[in-house]
């Protein structure tokens, strides 16, 4: 019994119930969602040293973020 990580999202119906499996979701290789859909998975140990990249949403303490705002025109409307 191995732990498998989904590498491409998919939807499937198992025993009459719909399921959605997202990238990064972990399931066991004995799960009915895995059987017959092996191409969507890789072993979880293969990605243990490679966590998925996630964009940082906020600045760290002391870090400056630059933002650009749309220029205002003479009429007070933004230039988009």
């Amino acid at each position: 019994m191995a732990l498998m990580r989904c590498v491409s999202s998919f939807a499937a119906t198992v025993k009459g119930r719909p399921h959605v499996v997202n990238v990064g979701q972990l399931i066991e290789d004995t799960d009915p969602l895995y059987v017959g859909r092996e191409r969507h998975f890789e072993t979880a140990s293969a990605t243990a040293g490679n966590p998925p990249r996630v964009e940082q949403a906020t600045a760290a303490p002391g870090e400056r973020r630059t933002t650009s705002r749309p220029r205002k025109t003479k009429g007070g409307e933004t230039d988009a």
Side-chain angles (χ1 to χ4, degrees), residues 43-68:
T43 58
S45 62
T47 59
N50 256 345
R53 290 190 63 182
V54 178
E55 181 180 351
Q56 185 177 349
T58 59
E63 180 183 12
R64 288 191 154 258
R65 292 271 175 118
T66 58
T67 60
S68 60

Side-chain angles (χ1 to χ4, degrees), residues 21-54:
V21 181
N22 296 309
V23 171
Q25 189 170 337
L26 299 173
I27 66 170
E28 295 177 355
D29 62 353
T30 56
D31 192 308
L33 278 170
Y34 175 75
V35 178
R37 299 170 188 90
E38 292 86 359
R39 68 184 178 280
H40 295 286
F41 295 91
E42 66 183 8
T43 58
S45 62
T47 59
N50 256 345
R53 290 190 63 182
V54 178

Side-chain angles (χ1 to χ4, degrees), residues 13-26:
T13 302
V14 177
K15 296 182 182 177
R17 293 184 55 204
H19 297 273
V20 175
V21 181
N22 296 309
V23 171
Q25 189 170 337
L26 299 173

